């Protein structure tokens, strides 16, 4: 595992899925001081992609989608 910038990863997934979002608003709540996290980039990319695709698929069109990252102690959630 490597240290990764979770904020950059979230933004990359949202950008990649822009065509599927079809103009939906995506509200990102990321701490400004988000630390680097030890993770497998490809696996977290897949998780975030699946979460966002599920939100697109299972909510009414036009509904805003919120994604948040919280940092508690030494963990990001």
């Amino acid at each position: 595992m490597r240290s990764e910038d979770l904020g950059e990863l979230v933004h990359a997934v949202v950008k990649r899925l822009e065509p599927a979002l079809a103009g939906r608003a995506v509200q990102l709540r990321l701490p400004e001081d988000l630390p680097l996290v030890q993770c497998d980039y490809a696996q977290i990319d897949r998780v975030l992609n699946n979460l966002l695709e599920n939100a697109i698929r299972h909510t009414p069109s036009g509904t805003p989608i919120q994604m948040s990252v919280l940092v508690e102690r030494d963990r990001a959630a």
Side-chain angles (χ1 to χ4, degrees), residues 21-63:
L21 289 164
R24 282 189 193 215
V26 177
Q27 301 164 350
L28 299 177
R29 295 182 182 184
L30 308 173
E32 288 185 24
D33 60 345
L34 186 61
L36 296 177
V37 294
Q38 292 287 318
C39 68
D40 180 312
Y41 186 96
Q43 287 182 348
I44 299 302
D45 180 275
R46 179 179 287 162
V47 167
L48 294 174
N49 191 84
N50 289 347
L51 287 171
L52 194 50
E53 282 182 339
N54 284 339
I56 293 166
R57 187 176 303 118
H58 298 292
T59 58
S61 66
T63 303

